[in-house]
Amino acid sequence: MGVARLDEVRAAFLEDLGQAGKDASAVEAVRVKYAGRRSGLLLDLTAALRDLPKEERRDYGRALNDLKQDIGKCLDEAREASISGAAAPQDMVDISLPGMALTRGAEHPVNLVRRKIEEIFLRMGYDVEAGPEIEDDWHNFEALNIPSDHPARDDHDTFYVTGDRLLRTHTSPVQARVMENRKPPIRIIVPGKVYRRDSDLRHSPMFHQIEGLLVDEGISFGNLKATLETFLHALFSGHGVDVRFRPSYFPFTEPSAEVDITCIFCGGSGCAVCSRSGWIEILGSGMVDPRVFERVGIDSERYTGFAFGLGLDRVAMLMYGIPDLRQLFSGDQRLTRQFA
Ligand code: DAH
């Protein structure tokens, strides 16, 4: 008797449990043998305590408690892992049945375009940045030289969250955020979701833009032109597009230009997609307005830079011939499956 006996019982229990394996009724038999309420071995071991000499009782009692706990735990685990005879694996699985076919996922066309654009700019040494979709008035408008009475605010059908918080209407606020936190040279692109209160064939309340910004000493409009031409030729490689710059206006760039490519559907001769003009407008751009530099704390005497922004969804529609912008966000797998 004594502690040595407990060790024997422990070894025998583990042996029995091992043999029971995952068979639920065998596990139950082991439970009855050791932990059964009326005749389990643990009962005998508890009763034996009384017959022990006083000086052995403490150690024995302690070891017995440990043994009870361990047996309980092992039984619980074995019961959980066990399978009742009626549902043993050989009855559940018919290995001669054909397997379940996994449907193949596809990348969303907007993501395909985004990655294509990221690859082009990463090759040119740009970093990919991100910013918050719930933006404050300062970064979305003020820092970009769009004060509250500026007519350009009317073009941004803004969703306001609270007085000062809004859903960003463009990715341009990330320009301001990065310039506030970093010293030039800065070379970034910023893909992301933007929001405007608008919905029709060509507009969705949520859409995607990609922003670009380069700031350094001695940056000229020539750099802007060369960069955007290189980019657009790479993006539409295979279509042999021409690129043209038209003077335009944005509050945060001066001078500003809108950039067109020759229509990839008619090659420039004029069709329904390009409204018979032969050109498709693809992005907005310009030299960063010195007022923006001053607002974000960059020395406008020392640094110049250019910025640009384009709609990813529009490029995806052009590239893949998708007629209705809203189809991109309908969740209809007939669209995405085509890209698998
Ligand atoms: N943020 C402008 C928009 O959403 C697009 C844009 C135009 C971005 C010119 C630029 C830029 O960075 O230089 O309409």
Side-chain angles (χ1 to χ4, degrees), residues 103-121:
T103 46
R104 181 135 174 242
E107 197 154 12
H108 194 280
V110 172
N111 275 336
L112 288 171
V113 169
R114 173 180 60 78
R115 286 204 299 135
K116 238 179 167 163
I117 295 176
E118 284 176 2
E119 270 165 33
I120 296 168
F121 280 101

Side-chain angles (χ1 to χ4, degrees), residues 156 169-170 172 175 196 209 211-212 250 252-253 284-286 307-309:
H156 297 238
T169 57
H170 50 177
S172 306
Q175 284 189 33
R196 293 189 197 181
Q209 289 188 334
E211 191 80 13
F250 298 103
F252 36 90
T253 47
S285 66
F308 54 91

Side-chain angles (χ1 to χ4, degrees), residues 158-178:
T158 311
F159 287 113
Y160 283 92
V161 178
T162 59
D164 179 52
R165 305 264 153 182
L166 46 85
L167 299 185
R168 68 179 178 193
T169 57
H170 50 177
T171 42
S172 306
V174 187
Q175 284 189 33
R177 286 184 175 272
V178 169

Side-chain angles (χ1 to χ4, degrees), residues 131-146:
E133 288 172 26
I134 299 178
E135 191 45 284
D136 52 46
D137 191 84
W138 167 259
H139 291 100
N140 199 80
F141 292 125
E142 293 280 342
L144 298 170
N145 195 31
I146 316 175

